[in-house]
Amino acid sequence: MSIPQEARPLVAIRNVSKHFGNFHALKGVSLDVASGEVLCIIGASGSGKTTLLRCVNQLVAIDSGAIWIDGELAGRRVVGGRVHALGETEIARQRLRTGMVFQRFNLFAHMTALENVIEGPVQVLGQRRAAAEKTALALLDRVGLASKSGNYPAQLSGGQQQRVAIARALAMQPQLMLFDEPTSALDPELVGEVLAVMQELARSGMTMIVVTHELGFAREVAHRVVFMDQGGIVESGPAAEVLGAPREERTQAFLSAVIS
Amino acid sequence: MNAGDTVSKDGDHFLTDLAGLPLVRPRHWGRWGAATVLVLLLALLVRAFALGQIEWAFVWRFLTVRSILTGVANTVVMSLCAMALGIALGVTAAVMRMSPNPVLRSVSAGYVWLFRGMPVILQLLLWFNLALVFPDLGIPGVWSAHTVDVMTPFVAALLGLGVNQGAYTSEVVRAGILSVDVGQHEAAQSIGMSRMKALRRIILPQAMRVVIPPMGNEFIGMIKLTSLASVIQYAEVLHSAENIYYANSRVIELLMVAGIWYLGIVSVLTPLQMLLEKRFSRGTGRRP
C-alpha cells in the first residue's frame, strides 16, 4: 500500500516526554502521521506505546514537548510569547478530532449498544436523537451488529463489544482513530472479527494509530510500523522492513521473542 | 479400587449406571431443630406480652386517633424532605470532594468533618436556638426576618436532619463514584465529554447501583432519626404519642402505637428500594 502524500502531517509529535513518578515513560519522542496513514506501534509492555497514544488525545498530559493535530497545538496555546495550558472545555473540544478504542472496550455499561453510539453525538455534538439514531444504526450495521443495537454490553461478546466501541468512536466523525491494543483482551477466536472491521476502516482512508501485538495485522494493513522500547522509538519504516528485516538489534530481539 | 468392589451392595458403585436409583437429599436436622426452638421462643414472647401489663385495647384504639395520624404524616414528610436535602447536599459534597479544584475539595471535607462530628440532637438544638446567636436573618437591603419566625420546628428539624444526613450521604455517594471503573470516565472523555457531563451521564447512573442499598439503609435510619425532632417540638409520631401519655399515663400502650407505625412505614419502604435497585441495575444482568 502506498502512503498518501500531503504537505502537513495530520499528527506531528515533537520531543514529547512523560514521567509517572520516577518512571520515565516517554523520552523525547518525535513522530509524524500523515493524513490517511495507518501506523502500527509495536513493542513490549512498558515501552511507552500506550502512553504515547494517550498523549495524542490528552488522556495523559505531557511533561514537555509538543503535539500538533491538524496544525492545532494540543493542550497548549501560545499567546504573546508564552505557552498557556488550555482549560478543560478546550481540551474536550480538541478531543473531538480523535476517536479512541480501548483495550478493555469501556462501553457505557448502563446503556444499550445503540445508546452507547448516540451518546456522544446527542450529548456533545447536540445532534437530534432521531438523526443520531439513524447514523448510529448505519454504523452498527457497518461493524456487523445492526441486530444487537438493543443489547447491553454485558449481553455481548468481547468482540461484539469492541466493534460497538469502534462504532461509538466513529459516530463522532473523528479525523483520526486511536486503537490501544484493541484485541489484547479478546478470546483468540474473536480477534478476527475486530481486525476485519479495522481493516475495512483502514481501506476507507481513515487515519489510524494502532498500538497492537497483532503482527499479522500490522504486516497486512499498516503503511508504517514503529517499534518502541524503553520510552523511545527504536525503529520505524514500512511493515515489510521493520517486521521482515529489522535493522536494530532490539527490534530483532523483540520480534524473535514474540514470534517464537 | 479392586474390580470386585464395583458390584458390592453399598458404596460408590464404580462405573455402574445410577440413573435408575432414587435420589435421597440430605436431611437438614439442624434447620428443623433451630426452627422449632425459634417458634417456641416466639410463642413464649407473644404470651408474655399478651399477659403483661399492657391494655391492648388502648393500643388499637389510639393507633388511629387523629393526633397520631398527623404525627405519622409529619414523620413521613420530614423523612422525605430531610432525605431529599441530604441527598442533594451529599451528591454535591461528593462531587466537590472529587473535583480537581482544591478549594472545593477542602470545603467538602470541612463540611463532612463538621456535621459528622457532632451528635444530631445537638445540631437540632443549635438550629432551633439559632435566634440566640443571630436574632435577625436576611440579605442586607433585600430581605430580612426575625430568626424566631423563620426557624420553626419544621425548618429546624429539616436543616438539622438534612444537613447532617448530607455529610453521611456524601461518603456513600463517593464510594459509589469510586466503584465505577476509571475506563468509563476515560471513554466519556474520549468522546469529548466535560467532567461534569461525564459525571451526570456516565458515572453517577452507574454509581447508583452501588449507592442504593446503603442509601436504603440511611433512609430507614432517617425515619427513626426524625423521632429526635420531638425535642424541638416537631410534632412527629413519637411526639404525638408522648403528648397523649402525658395526659393519660398509658406510657407503654402509646409507645407500642409509635413502634407499630415505625415498623409499618419501614415495611412499606423496603419493597420500594427493591424497585429502585432493579431500575439502576440495567445492563448488569446477563439477560434483561
Side-chain angles (χ1 to χ4, degrees):
Chain A
M1 273 183 244
S2 65
I3 304 166
Q5 294 297 318
E6 202 178 292
R8 187 178 72 189
L10 181 65
V11 182
I13 300 169
R14 286 296 174 277
N15 211 18
V16 163
S17 267
K18 178 67 190 177
H19 286 83
F20 292 109
N22 288 327
F23 179 62
H24 204 168
L26 292 176
K27 299 170 182 165
V29 174
S30 296
L31 181 69
D32 282 351
V33 184
S35 187
E37 184 176 12
V38 177
L39 178 82
C40 281
I41 306 177
I42 60 169
S45 58
S47 60
K49 54 194 195 307
T50 290
T51 304
L52 181 64
L53 195 72
R54 292 161 76 85
C55 285
V56 171
N57 78 340
Q58 305 187 55
L59 284 180
V60 169
I62 59 177
D63 292 343
S64 63
I67 299 174
W68 287 266
I69 297 173
D70 198 19
E72 186 178 347
L73 187 57
R76 314 267 159 96
R77 178 178 294 139
V78 182
V79 182
R82 286 205 265 183
V83 181
H84 296 255
L86 294 183
E88 196 210 352
T89 323
E90 285 287 285
I91 290 175
R93 182 186 59 75
Q94 290 190 333
R95 284 204 186 99
L96 295 178
R97 287 225 172 84
T98 58
M100 176 104 176
V101 174
F102 299 87
Q103 183 179 354
R104 307 243 13 123
F105 329 133
N106 293 350
L107 286 183
F108 304 134
H110 60 307
M111 296 180 179
T112 63
L114 183 69
E115 287 168 342
N116 264 279
V117 180
I118 65 167
E119 182 67 8
V122 172
Q123 293 293 326
V124 179
L125 301 180
Q127 289 178 14
R128 303 181 80 116
R129 198 184 160 97
E133 274 185 7
K134 206 171 149 217
T135 319
L137 284 170
L139 280 169
L140 285 173
D141 189 41
R142 184 173 169 191
V143 299
L145 289 172
S147 63
K148 301 285 185 186
S149 64
N151 288 47
Y152 285 99
Q155 300 161 342
L156 299 171
S157 74
Q160 291 169 335
Q161 288 188 56
Q162 195 60 298
R163 285 186 282 155
V164 173
I166 293 172
R168 176 176 69 181
L170 289 176
M172 302 302 287
Q173 296 180 304
Q175 288 174 278
L176 165 71
M177 283 285 285
L178 307 173
F179 293 84
D180 182 12
E181 303 193 26
T183 56
S184 296
L186 294 177
D187 291 338
E189 77 273 19
L190 303 176
V191 168
E193 62 189 63
V194 172
L195 291 182
V197 167
M198 290 168 62
Q199 193 156 7
E200 186 269 321
L201 193 58
R203 227 178 275 127
S204 76
M206 175 62 78
T207 314
M208 295 163 63
I209 304 178
V210 186
V211 168
T212 188
H213 293 297
E214 296 292 333
L215 299 185
F217 174 83
R219 200 172 285 122
E220 232 178 287
V221 182
H223 298 113
R224 196 151 53 104
V225 172
V226 166
F227 171 68
M228 287 184 71
D229 190 32
Q230 293 178 358
I233 291 176
V234 176
E235 188 165 352
S236 140
E241 276 177 30
V242 176
L243 301 175
R247 279 172 283 124
E248 300 291 329
E249 215 169 284
R250 278 190 281 173
T251 319
Q252 291 163 9
F254 172 76
L255 288 174
S256 63
V258 172
I259 291 164
S260 64
Chain B
M1 194 179 278
N2 295 324
D5 290 341
T6 60
V7 288
S8 64
K9 194 167 182 305
D10 286 321
D12 293 337
H13 286 255
F14 183 59
L15 292 186
T16 52
D17 185 8
L18 302 182
L21 304 177
L23 177 69
V24 182
R25 296 186 188 282
R27 304 258 191 263
H28 297 285
W29 298 117
R31 292 181 195 176
W32 285 104
T36 314
V37 172
L38 219 72
V39 167
L40 229 92
L41 284 173
L42 207 63
L44 283 173
L45 197 72
V46 168
R47 182 171 172 274
F49 270 93
L51 298 180
Q53 306 256 351
I54 300 176
E55 287 288 344
W56 287 99
F58 270 100
V59 175
W60 307 134
R61 209 174 90 204
F62 281 99
L63 196 61
T64 52
V65 298
R66 189 175 195 85
S67 75
I68 289 287
L69 289 182
T70 313
V72 171
N74 284 341
T75 293
V76 172
V77 167
M78 179 54 66
S79 303
L80 288 173
C81 292
M83 203 63 199
L85 179 62
I87 290 171
L89 287 172
V91 171
T92 311
V95 169
M96 282 166 69
R97 186 68 180 267
M98 307 191 89
S99 150
N101 181 336
V103 179
L104 295 182
R105 275 207 307 273
S106 319
V107 168
S108 171
Y111 162 66
V112 172
W113 169 79
L114 185 66
F115 288 95
R116 265 198 326 190
M118 285 188 292
V120 190
I121 193 155
L122 184 117
Q123 293 180 46
L124 285 168
L125 290 167
L126 280 177
W127 284 111
F128 192 53
N129 293 303
L130 199 68
L132 299 178
V133 193
F134 308 109
D136 295 290
L137 291 177
I139 309 155
V142 183
W143 167 86
S144 78
H146 295 301
T147 306
V148 276
D149 299 333
V150 178
M151 207 48 76
T152 59
F154 178 85
V155 173
L158 177 62
L159 286 172
L161 295 171
V163 173
N164 175 73
Q165 185 58 43
Y168 284 92
T169 304
S170 79
E171 287 295 282
V172 174
V173 174
R174 197 164 69 92
I177 291 174
L178 287 174
S179 78
V180 179
D181 184 59
V182 71
Q184 295 284 312
H185 199 97
E186 289 180 347
Q189 283 182 303
S190 80
I191 57 168
M193 282 192 171
S194 64
R195 209 181 71 83
M196 284 315 289
K197 185 158 262 178
L199 260 174
R200 193 166 56 77
R201 294 283 311 169
I202 309 298
I203 308 297
L204 284 177
Q206 293 186 65
M208 286 304 281
R209 194 172 57 85
V210 177
V211 164
I212 287 172
M215 284 289 236
N217 217 19
E218 298 275 307
F219 197 10
I220 286 169
M222 173 59 79
I223 289 159
K224 294 174 294 175
L225 220 51
T226 54
S227 62
L228 287 182
S230 60
V231 300
I232 56 168
Q233 309 309 315
Y234 181 67
E236 47 71 57
V237 65
L238 186 61
H239 191 256
S240 309
E242 283 174 334
N243 276 344
I244 298 174
Y245 73 62
Y246 288 149
N248 68 6
S249 300
R250 291 289 177 184
V251 178
I252 292 298
E253 286 79 359
L254 280 147
L255 290 179
M256 285 285 161
V257 166
I260 289 167
W261 275 113
Y262 281 118
L263 277 173
I265 298 167
V266 170
S267 309
V268 170
L269 281 168
T270 310
L272 278 179
Q273 180 186 335
M274 303 276 195
L275 282 178
L276 271 181
E277 273 181 45
K278 214 167 167 186
R279 171 77 177 83
F280 282 101
S281 66
R282 267 176 311 163
T284 52
R286 292 283 108 189
R287 299 274 160 224

